[in-house]
Amino acid sequence: MDPPTDGIELKPETLEEEKEGGPLFHCDFCDAGVVDKIAQSFLPGLASACIDNTTGGLFKTPATVAVEIRKEMVDYLVQRSENFVAESVVLEGVGDVEVSADSYDIISDFVDDFVHSKRNFFSRVSGWLVSEKREDWIDDLVQEMEINGFWLLNRRSTVAQTLLKNLDFRNAYHCNMNFKSPGDLEKHKLNCGFRTLSCGNEGCDSSFSAVQMEHHDSTCPFKMLPCEQKCPDIIMRREMDRHCITTCPMKLVKCPFHSVGCQSTVPQRTIEQHRSDNLPGHLLYILQVSHKEASPEALKQRVQELEKIASPGRLASARDARSLTYVVKDLEAKLGPIKVQTEKKSDEDVKDLIDLREEKTDVGAKQVRFDAGKEAIAISESTLTPNESFN
């Protein structure tokens, strides 16, 4: 039996205001990012419910039931959110059932439950729920709803805010501050952490709560930043990687003389300075390729000779190994063959060489005498008569 009201309508907040000693003014700000995320989940859920409810039917299409099912969906979500605290108490006392503390996850579960409740008999008993065609139909219906403005985002956001305030009992995603005067409320709204801000970066249309400003600023793809490789350019964050590996003058490149031995990796804009500073080394690499038999000392001497006879800037103007090789060959034609220095033999080395030659000579002479003796024996045997040879 309902208690008598004496013709006065009582609201829950009226009792709260009496306790506080007067009417209260509430801050209604919510986390814009979470609200948008929740609102974006409604259309796919509604499309799924409409399609699963009419699958296999002959008289209804998803579009014809969309208005009715949308109303049922909103009523269902609001009622579930209002009863959530009581449901949580029951569920927490049942075995290992876990109750999510994240409002978005809770609402996602509510949407899934609603979609499941709207499936018709054919959807339940057939393989429709796991078919690829179902996913395609859902995507197509969502796109059609967005194009036709069937359920505008701002209206979905209003529903999302209502659900969020009912579920966010920890006040993680909405402000629960109350004030005794409109003036106090307005002052608070100017600094409320849940007030909605818009990104100031050109091209970004994101909205977020003030408490998320720092996070958004650190991830916004449209923010202009100094080049990570310290070049003078200011680059949009989403273009930074492409800039650094393609057009950035400070990108690291191999030395143009890499093919002949220089292993240096230098910023692209300093390549000219690298060639100038390392010209003697590059010359040495070129000479090592064309004079493999020459000693390091001879090659270094030839580098000095090349630098001495070359006209100013001629060697430095060669931009790669091929062009420098042509210059070196032209200059070497004037210098003549490279001088290959031989090492002076020590006295012991000379003595050993003489002994070796004499030893070879003695062996040769003995071999000659041995061959001559064999030949003389053969001749003497051939001159004997048969009887003499047996005696």
Side-chain angles (χ1 to χ4, degrees):
M1 182 175 178
D2 296 331
T5 61
D6 295 332
I8 300 175
E9 182 180 359
L10 296 178
K11 297 180 180 179
E13 59 267 23
T14 303
L15 299 178
E16 179 183 352
E17 290 166 3
E18 286 296 329
K19 293 180 188 178
E20 297 292 335
L24 296 179
F25 299 89
H26 308 284
C27 179
D28 57 356
F29 285 154
C30 295
D31 189 311
V34 176
V35 169
D36 183 70
K37 188 177 179 182
I38 294 171
Q40 295 291 353
S41 69
F42 289 161
L43 277 188
L46 176 60
S48 302
C50 292
I51 289 173
D52 292 346
N53 185 255
T54 57
T55 300
L58 300 176
F59 306 104
K60 293 182 179 180
T61 64
T64 60
V65 300
V67 174
E68 179 184 352
I69 291 182
R70 178 183 63 183
K71 183 179 183 304
E72 293 181 19
M73 180 178 179
V74 173
D75 292 342
Y76 176 87
L77 294 177
V78 172
Q79 183 178 3
R80 285 290 303 272
S81 67
E82 292 175 346
N83 297 332
F84 175 72
V85 175
E87 291 181 2
S88 301
V89 173
V90 174
L91 290 175
E92 287 179 352
V94 179
D96 297 328
V97 177
E98 294 184 1
V99 179
S100 174
D102 187 89
S103 301
Y104 174 78
D105 292 339
I106 297 170
I107 295 173
S108 296
D109 291 340
F110 290 171
V111 173
D112 291 341
D113 291 344
F114 176 76
V115 172
H116 187 272
S117 70
K118 300 307 294 181
R119 291 170 182 165
N120 62 15
F121 179 76
F122 182 84
S123 298
R124 296 175 185 275
V125 300
S126 67
W128 172 251
L129 298 178
V130 294
S131 67
E132 294 182 0
K133 190 175 182 180
R134 175 180 182 266
E135 298 299 325
D136 293 338
W137 281 21
I138 292 173
D139 291 340
D140 292 343
L141 185 55
V142 169
Q143 186 176 3
E144 182 180 350
M145 289 178 176
E146 290 177 338
I147 293 174
N148 295 329
F150 174 73
W151 195 0
L152 297 178
L153 180 60
N154 61 338
R155 296 182 179 178
R156 283 180 277 148
S157 297
T158 300
V159 177
Q161 288 184 29
T162 300
L163 302 180
L164 189 60
K165 291 176 181 178
N166 289 341
L167 297 169
D168 186 28
F169 50 87
R170 296 183 179 178
N171 302 317
Y173 303 116
H174 82 286
C175 181
N176 68 332
M177 297 291 290
N178 300 319
F179 300 90
K180 294 182 179 181
S181 70
D184 292 340
L185 175 60
E186 292 305 317
K187 290 180 181 179
H188 162 77
K189 285 186 174 182
L190 294 176
N191 299 291
C192 180
F194 291 104
R195 70 188 187 277
T196 301
L197 301 178
S198 298
C199 181
N201 296 322
E202 184 177 357
C204 183
D205 57 359
S206 298
S207 296
F208 42 84
S209 295
V211 293
Q212 299 295 329
M213 178 64 186
E214 184 175 349
H215 172 72
H216 176 80
D217 185 69
S218 66
T219 59
C220 179
F222 295 91
K223 184 175 182 178
M224 303 300 292
L225 299 169
C227 174
E228 294 177 351
Q229 297 180 150
K230 310 302 182 184
C231 88
D233 295 343
I234 304 297
I235 309 298
M236 193 177 293
R237 176 179 276 123
R238 68 176 185 174
E239 301 290 338
M240 186 67 71
D241 290 343
R242 186 187 65 82
H243 166 78
C244 289
I245 63 176
T246 56
T247 61
C248 180
M250 291 299 290
K251 71 175 182 179
L252 296 179
V253 296
K254 292 181 179 179
C255 172
F257 297 89
H258 176 81
S259 60
V260 293
C262 184
Q263 301 300 314
S264 298
T265 302
V266 295
Q268 187 176 38
R269 69 180 301 179
T270 64
I271 199 69
E272 295 289 345
Q273 186 66 37
H274 171 77
R275 280 201 297 261
S276 176
D277 295 343
N278 294 272
L279 178 59
H282 295 158
L283 283 171
L284 188 60
Y285 287 130
I286 296 294
L287 293 173
Q288 286 174 343
V289 173
S290 56
H291 300 289
K292 295 182 175 62
E293 76 288 350
S295 65
E297 291 75 13
L299 294 177
K300 291 178 181 179
Q301 180 64 32
R302 176 50 59 97
V303 167
Q304 296 176 2
E305 294 172 354
L306 291 172
E307 291 181 316
K308 185 176 181 180
I309 70 167
S311 58
R314 185 179 181 186
L315 292 173
S317 64
R319 303 182 63 84
D320 52 34
R322 184 176 182 180
S323 59
L324 185 59
T325 299
Y326 289 147
V327 175
V328 169
K329 287 184 177 180
D330 183 49
L331 294 175
E332 283 200 302
K334 300 177 182 179
L335 292 173
I338 192 170
K339 296 179 181 180
V340 180
Q341 298 179 353
T342 57
E343 295 181 1
K344 184 178 181 180
K345 302 292 183 180
S346 63
D347 293 341
E348 293 183 0
D349 292 338
V350 173
K351 183 176 182 301
D352 291 341
L353 182 60
I354 294 174
D355 292 342
L356 180 61
R357 289 178 178 175
E358 290 179 351
E359 183 178 348
K360 289 182 178 179
T361 302
D362 293 342
V363 171
K366 291 179 181 179
Q367 183 66 38
V368 170
R369 289 194 296 271
F370 177 76
D371 292 341
K374 288 178 62 178
E375 184 178 358
I377 293 173
I379 293 174
S380 62
E381 288 180 351
S382 63
T383 56
L384 296 176
T385 61
N387 292 332
E388 289 175 342
S389 61
F390 285 108
N391 295 327

